Amino acid sequence: MKERLILRLILTFVILIFLLSIMNGSIYLSNEGVFSTIPNHILIIAVSVSIISGLIILGILGRSLIILLQKEAEFDAQAAYSESMDELFRSMKTQRHDFNNHVQVIYGMIQENMIDLAKEYIKDVFKETRELNDIIAVDRPEISSLLKAKQTTAIQKNIDFKISIKCKLSNISLKPYELVRVLGNIIDNAFDAASAISEGKKEVTLRIFSEGNIIYLETLNPGTLPDKVEELFKPGISSKDGHTGLGLYIVKNLIESHNGSISLQNVNRSVLCRVSFINKGEL
């Protein structure tokens, strides 16, 4: 549908240019006496009416294209939100399944009179459940759903995922589905890097904060970047086996299209991914 509208816009524009050429050429030929039987004003009126009609058609097609793009953006936003919610529901279903296993384990410990061990086990399970049920208070529900799902993924991968949000996400110029794409990608990259290490603590930190008129989205994970960091932002390049290498490339283009920036750097045997945007609330 969108491609057809664009094609019609281009075709209408070409016809208008063609009509203008006809009008200019006709006036010139008429002045030279070639069309002596056709008055100049008749030629001008006929071509002008055609041009005005073409402009009206061009305006209608342009308006239709804008409406279509808006609906497409709304659909993408809803799809991103639905994807986050689906991931959250899958995580909750997994948690419920695990809870049944926990109950069986605790019952077995009590049956064997291992009360102290059962208490310690319950303490660990409660800590995990409380972390999942803590409300992530952000002003964009799509991001709240995403982070809740990532919390569950982190627990399943034995990653200590720490979240700190100190500013309003609505002050970032990205649409919700675009912000989900950016955050989801950099968090997944951090999780993959943390899961790849064989020794040391698997800890990933997400910080979102503002300084002056800039909002920063940062992830910190264990690992070391290759020497040519800029290569990771090129299509088809990835530091992980089995990956297409399109994630950072697509995200970088999306960020830069909103006048933002993204960088990767080594910091004390860890990798810092920093994304920055202009704070709309400070404009």
Side-chain angles (χ1 to χ4, degrees):
M1 181 65 177
K2 180 173 67 176
E3 289 75 13
R4 291 200 299 269
L5 278 175
I6 293 175
L7 181 62
R8 290 172 183 174
L9 279 170
I10 295 173
L11 183 61
T12 304
F13 183 76
V14 170
I15 291 174
L16 288 175
I17 297 298
F18 181 68
L19 288 173
L20 283 172
S21 301
I22 290 178
M23 184 175 68
N24 291 333
S26 299
I27 293 174
Y28 172 77
L29 293 174
S30 179
N31 290 334
E32 295 295 320
V34 176
F35 295 147
S36 57
T37 58
I38 304 177
N40 282 349
H41 68 279
I42 298 297
L43 287 173
I44 294 174
I45 291 174
V47 178
S48 296
V49 169
S50 300
I51 291 175
I52 292 172
S53 301
L55 288 173
I56 293 173
I57 295 173
L58 196 64
I60 294 173
L61 291 175
R63 184 174 180 274
S64 300
L65 180 60
I66 292 172
I67 293 174
L68 180 63
L69 291 175
Q70 288 175 343
K71 289 183 177 180
E72 183 178 326
E74 292 173 0
F75 176 80
D76 288 340
Q78 187 61 40
Y81 179 71
S82 298
E83 183 179 350
S84 298
M85 291 301 297
D86 287 343
E87 187 173 355
L88 178 59
F89 290 144
R90 285 194 299 269
S91 299
M92 292 175 66
K93 186 177 181 181
T94 301
Q95 182 186 359
R96 180 182 177 183
H97 178 268
D98 291 342
F99 182 76
N100 292 331
N101 293 331
H102 294 321
V103 171
Q104 293 176 5
V105 170
I106 294 169
Y107 178 76
M109 289 178 178
I110 295 174
Q111 287 286 90
E112 297 296 328
N113 203 29
M114 295 184 289
I115 304 302
D116 291 337
L117 187 60
K119 287 180 179 179
E120 190 65 28
Y121 191 88
I122 292 172
K123 180 180 177 181
D124 292 339
V125 172
F126 176 73
K127 180 175 181 284
E128 176 182 317
T129 304
R130 184 182 59 191
E131 288 174 350
L132 280 174
N133 292 329
D134 284 343
I135 297 175
I136 301 173
V138 297
D139 56 339
R140 281 191 169 177
E142 299 87 356
I143 303 305
S144 179
S145 298
L146 174 70
L147 296 181
K148 291 277 285 185
K150 296 304 179 186
Q151 275 187 322
T152 303
T153 301
I155 292 173
Q156 293 170 351
K157 293 185 176 183
N158 197 28
I159 296 173
D160 185 9
F161 185 34
K162 298 181 178 179
I163 301 172
S164 174
I165 301 177
K166 301 294 185 181
C167 65
K168 291 183 177 180
L169 299 183
S170 56
N171 287 337
I172 300 175
S173 60
L174 274 71
K175 294 179 175 64
Y177 74 91
E178 293 173 327
L179 189 55
V180 165
R181 183 179 297 175
V182 171
L183 278 175
N185 189 280
I186 64 176
I187 292 173
D188 286 344
N189 286 342
F191 282 1
D192 289 341
S195 298
I197 65 171
S198 56
E199 297 180 357
K201 190 175 183 181
K202 297 181 179 181
E203 181 177 296
V204 172
T205 301
L206 170 67
R207 296 177 64 229
I208 302 178
F209 61 97
S210 63
E211 288 184 357
N213 66 335
I214 303 296
I215 293 179
Y216 295 97
L217 287 63
E218 293 183 351
T219 57
L220 186 68
N221 59 265
T224 305
L225 291 169
D227 293 333
K228 295 182 179 180
V229 178
E230 64 279 359
E231 295 290 326
L232 297 177
F233 293 106
K234 294 182 179 180
I237 303 296
S238 176
S239 59
K240 296 165 287 188
D241 296 334
H243 286 251
T244 61
L246 293 175
L248 281 177
Y249 170 73
I250 293 173
V251 167
K252 183 175 185 291
N253 288 338
L254 174 59
I255 292 169
E256 291 180 346
S257 69
H258 289 271
N259 299 317
S261 65
I262 181 172
S263 64
L264 294 170
Q265 56 182 303
N266 290 313
V267 179
N268 298 327
R269 297 182 180 180
S270 296
V271 175
L272 174 66
C273 176
R274 172 176 288 173
V275 178
S276 62
F277 294 102
I278 295 175
N279 187 345
K280 293 194 304 181
E282 297 295 328
L283 296 179

